[in-house]
Amino acid sequence: MDLLAIIGLLIVLYILIYIFILLIVDCDLGLLWAVYFGKKLRNLQGKVIWVTGASSGIGEFMAIEFARNGAKIILSARSETNLERVKGRCLDVGASLDSIAVFPFDVTNTAKHEAIFQKAIKLFGRLDILVNNAGRSQRAVWENIDFAVDKEIFKLNVFSVLSLSRLAVKYFENAGIFGHLVVTSSLAGVFGAPFSSSYNGSKHAIHGYFNTLRMEKGRDKLAVTLLCPGPVFSNFLSQCFTEKAGEVFGEEINKTDKRMETSRCAYLSAVAIVNRLDEVWMAVFPAIPLTYILVYYPNITKLITRFIGQRRIMKIRDSRQTVITENNPR
């Protein structure tokens, strides 16, 4: 066998192994490497981490993961009752009473952010990591969406995040801290998904803003991590925006749905944070290989999406036949 044949065989073997790994993993390959060979979660010990949207879902489980590994945590959301429940869960995994602070507020009230930020800093005397997790999804037909819904989604998913993050960046610079901004985005921020255009638009905007920030500051001055989960077990579907202002989608997730466990998503997110990864994808099969195709092979994306179709994409996303069509928005 000559040298060219050997090289060709190695390339084919590499591609086959690459494809096989993508078929069995629940995250992108950069994050997978960090899970096994990156920094350990114990490096979070002593870090002060502020988590918004911490009263349920991914935010709740991230807070528990941080607490398990010795971080000091500021828990924020609107519901103080739910935050106290999350605090209890953090204490159950070994956190000390003086390492968990409950700090309820409404992230959409950006006019009060500066005062709120200063109060948050005083809770532990410093801040190392801001995790912008608060947000809501959407299910609606593109042309039927009230413009008021677009505004409401961007107010929560984008503008509140920008407001807190800009305060954090200034704080990190003035305090001489190598700070870390984390934003919970979505795979819907990486590519388009049907029947949630306002939500998708808000997540694409997040990527635009924070990728720009990373380029401006450089990785040696500020860490910026975008977390992009796919379908996860949480209460997000029941609280989704729809096409009408003030309305929620109201669907419940079934225990038999094909989704990532929230605890697994939180663990992977914590690995991404402690390793200061730029962007990570997390989802059960087939979302990860599909994402790789859509992102890295745009020339065949049109064929792939045409073959899969709207119904199959929605089934991948919501673990059921599409719950929204042009004739049946609910």
Side-chain angles (χ1 to χ4, degrees), residues 193-257:
F195 304 118
S196 57
S197 62
S198 307
Y199 174 76
N200 295 349
S202 71
K203 294 304 182 181
H204 276 73
I206 284 295
H207 284 248
Y209 274 111
F210 285 91
N211 286 334
T212 299
L213 173 64
R214 190 188 298 112
M215 291 290 289
E216 286 187 12
K217 296 300 179 184
R219 293 174 177 82
D220 58 334
K221 294 183 179 179
L222 178 72
V224 179
T225 298
L226 296 173
L227 306 174
C228 303
V232 174
F233 282 103
S234 71
N235 65 344
F236 83 97
L237 199 57
S238 64
Q239 297 301 311
C240 272
F241 287 99
T242 65
E243 63 188 34
K244 297 178 181 179
E247 183 179 68
V248 295
F249 190 62
E251 290 274 349
E252 296 295 333
I253 291 175
N254 298 321
K255 293 181 179 180
T256 57
D257 286 352

Side-chain angles (χ1 to χ4, degrees), residues 32-47:
L32 182 67
W33 179 269
V35 167
Y36 291 103
F37 304 108
K39 294 180 181 178
K40 304 305 178 184
L41 295 188
R42 61 176 175 268
N43 286 284
L44 292 171
Q45 186 170 1
K47 297 290 186 182

Side-chain angles (χ1 to χ4, degrees), residues 76-131:
S76 288
R78 289 177 300 176
S79 172
E80 185 172 1
T81 300
N82 284 333
L83 291 176
E84 289 290 348
R85 178 184 57 79
V86 176
K87 178 181 178 178
R89 296 193 65 186
C90 291
L91 296 175
D92 289 342
V93 297
S96 61
L97 192 61
D98 61 355
S99 68
I100 310 294
V102 170
F103 188 55
F105 77 102
D106 183 353
V107 294
T108 63
N109 192 349
T110 55
K112 294 185 177 180
H113 275 192
E114 188 163 1
I116 288 169
F117 190 89
Q118 295 306 319
K119 289 180 181 179
I121 297 302
K122 292 178 181 178
L123 292 172
F124 292 111
R126 65 177 285 137
L127 177 67
D128 297 295
I129 304 171
L130 171 61
V131 180

Side-chain angles (χ1 to χ4, degrees), residues 149-198:
V149 175
D150 296 296
K151 291 182 178 179
E152 195 172 351
I153 290 179
F154 268 70
K155 183 178 180 181
L156 173 60
N157 291 0
V158 181
F159 300 142
S160 67
V161 174
L162 292 178
S163 176
L164 273 186
S165 295
R166 283 177 173 151
L167 290 169
V169 170
K170 293 174 184 177
Y171 163 77
F172 292 143
E173 291 183 341
N174 292 335
I177 296 173
F178 186 98
H180 193 168
L181 294 180
V182 181
V183 184
T184 301
S185 180
S186 168
L187 289 182
V190 179
F191 57 84
F195 304 118
S196 57
S197 62
S198 307

Side-chain angles (χ1 to χ4, degrees), residues 139-141 144 242-243 249 323-330:
R139 297 295 181 270
V141 176
N144 294 339
T242 65
E243 63 188 34
F249 190 62
V323 291
I324 302 173
T325 66
E326 292 182 1
N327 296 323
N328 179 27
R330 295 297 302 279

Side-chain angles (χ1 to χ4, degrees), residues 1 17 43 52 60 65 81 124 133 166 194 214 302 325:
M1 183 178 293
I17 293 173
N43 286 284
T52 67
E60 173 181 350
E65 197 65 55
T81 300
F124 292 111
N133 179 72
R166 283 177 173 151
R214 190 188 298 112
K302 186 183 296 185
T325 66

